[in-house]
Amino acid sequence: MPVPPAVPAADPLAWLASAEGVPSAYASARDGIDVMLRDRGLRRTSPETTAESLLRGAHASAVLEGSTSTLAEVRDGEGDAAAGDAVRVATELLGLAPTLRAAPLQALARLHALAATGSQPAERRGRPRDGDGARRLRGVADLLTAPTSAPALLVAAVVHAELATAACFGSHDGLVARAVERLVAVARGVDEKSLVVPEAGHLALRAEYESNLRGYAEGGRAGVHAWALYAAEAWVAGAEASPLRREAL
């Protein structure tokens, strides 16, 4: 991700957090999530609700990865290979929140190992594709540990885009990227019980999701800015997809 030279190294996201439209977009997204969790979550939250949110997220992420399975098929354990990969990730995701805070490279490696279990040999799971992939992964870890004024949802969005566009592992990078976005919100206290479904937000906005990821990778600072604005909208859509708001399909 391009970082203007004037930005202090201690806060690599300061320029983006203050870019036009970004503060208000993320304040609005966070307010919407907080209202949903306060008004609905305190009364209705249960382990089953969290499990349903994770399942919906796994299904949406798998569809973005090319799965043709329905949510009902995934719920019944009858999804295709991509759905199976996403469900394995979802099953262990929340347990990795402490690891993401303390040792982000270890958490990223574990997520890839889970996603790739069905298709990659053991020696390739959790390992970067090459030296450049390793360098980009270290950059993501630095973003996750650097002091920043950026809101947690923005950090999550940038880490998502970095992982998805850099293809650090060379396989299953989209699944890992979307899982980490959710996990950052958990680890940073925005959505500790993981009731928002950000993956479903991206699926609902699929054309914008894919075009803004391309813009992030190819569009320089303007592309990063556009991705940040898009991702705030996707967080709102993810909150709308929460099982707190919608009956199970």
Side-chain angles (χ1 to χ4, degrees):
M1 183 185 69
V3 178
V7 175
D11 190 352
L13 295 179
W15 73 273
L16 185 58
S18 61
E20 182 178 0
V22 171
S24 59
Y26 280 85
S28 178
R30 178 64 188 267
D31 286 349
I33 289 171
D34 287 348
V35 166
M36 180 194 72
L37 296 178
R38 182 180 68 245
D39 291 351
R40 300 170 186 268
L42 292 179
R43 294 194 301 271
R44 299 176 56 190
T45 296
S46 67
E48 291 75 22
T49 308
T50 294
E52 176 65 17
S53 173
L54 289 164
L55 183 71
R56 293 184 188 193
H59 170 255
S61 192
V63 171
L64 288 166
E65 206 72 5
S67 172
T68 59
S69 298
T70 66
L71 178 57
E73 288 170 338
V74 174
R75 185 176 283 117
D76 292 339
E78 298 175 353
D80 55 24
D85 295 341
V87 169
R88 278 196 306 276
V89 170
T91 299
E92 290 195 26
L93 185 63
L94 299 190
L96 289 171
T99 307
L100 189 74
R101 289 190 291 263
L105 283 175
Q106 183 179 336
L108 296 172
R110 178 57 181 163
L111 288 170
H112 181 261
L114 289 166
T117 291
S119 59
Q120 297 290 311
E123 63 270 18
R124 294 303 310 150
R125 298 174 204 157
R127 298 181 63 84
R129 54 180 165 76
D130 54 21
D132 182 62
R135 178 183 64 81
R136 298 293 293 268
L137 277 176
R138 286 193 297 271
V140 170
D142 289 343
L143 281 174
L144 287 166
T145 55
T148 183
S149 62
L153 296 179
L154 179 58
V155 175
V158 171
V159 168
H160 174 172
E162 283 287 303
L163 290 168
T165 60
C168 302
F169 294 105
S171 75
H172 303 84
D173 293 285
L175 287 178
V176 172
R178 291 183 289 274
V180 172
E181 182 176 46
R182 180 190 279 257
L183 191 58
V184 170
V186 173
R188 300 200 175 199
V190 175
D191 183 18
E192 292 181 351
K193 295 186 177 180
S194 205
L195 300 171
V196 178
V197 191
E199 306 92 337
H202 296 304
L203 182 58
L205 301 170
R206 186 170 191 168
E208 294 92 334
Y209 173 65
E210 293 172 349
S211 66
N212 277 287
L213 275 180
R214 289 192 297 271
Y216 184 97
E218 302 166 2
R221 187 173 180 178
V224 175
H225 184 201
W227 165 261
L229 293 174
Y230 155 77
E233 183 181 357
W235 276 111
V236 173
E240 291 294 334
S242 172
L244 291 178
R245 286 191 167 170
R246 302 172 64 179
E247 294 297 324
L249 299 177

